[in-house]
Amino acid sequence: MTETQKWSARLSELGVTLPPVVPPVAAYVPALRTGNYVYTSGQLPIVDGKLTTKGKVGADVSEDDAKAGARTCALNALAAVDALVGIDSVVRIVKVVGFVASAEGFTGQPGVVNGASEFFGEIFGASGAHARSAVGVAELPLGAPVEVEVIAEVLPEA
């Protein structure tokens, strides 16, 4: 990010509005800063307090719907980062971990988590390129098909 570039302006340019931070469903905080890094808790595809879809990918949920859900998870993660340090403090997205509730035999987890990765690329360009894991799991909280957590490098505290 250059000194004059603002991620908030990029979001506006893309017509993206950060939602309110999704309240935790258990004993944790949505995001935590340590040094120049912000770690988000796993974010679910929640919009207006409700899961956008439930079930396992490859059975109840299509790969395309799960990919869209991963994008929603990424948006919720950015909302948590923004609430903690401000979106314009982001230097780069360092790592994305995506969990996909997978039906037996489903092996398309990387394609599902691309929903988050591609979204970060749209917003942050080269600063959105990140290391990543895409993991298939048996179940996720609340019956969600996908969950995404993020590590972002941010500007030093003033």
Side-chain angles (χ1 to χ4, degrees), residues 23-41:
V25 299
Y28 60 88
V29 295
L32 181 72
R33 180 183 185 140
T34 183
N36 291 346
Y37 295 93
V38 171
Y39 294 75
T40 72
S41 294

Side-chain angles (χ1 to χ4, degrees), residues 16-74:
V16 174
T17 302
L18 293 176
V21 176
V22 175
V25 299
Y28 60 88
V29 295
L32 181 72
R33 180 183 185 140
T34 183
N36 291 346
Y37 295 93
V38 171
Y39 294 75
T40 72
S41 294
Q43 299 293 314
L44 302 177
I46 293 177
V47 176
D48 297 327
K50 296 186 171 113
L51 278 176
T52 57
T53 188
K54 289 185 179 183
K56 293 188 179 188
V57 184
D60 317 303
V61 179
S62 73
E63 192 168 341
D64 286 341
D65 286 347
K67 183 176 179 179
R71 183 186 188 282
T72 299
C73 294

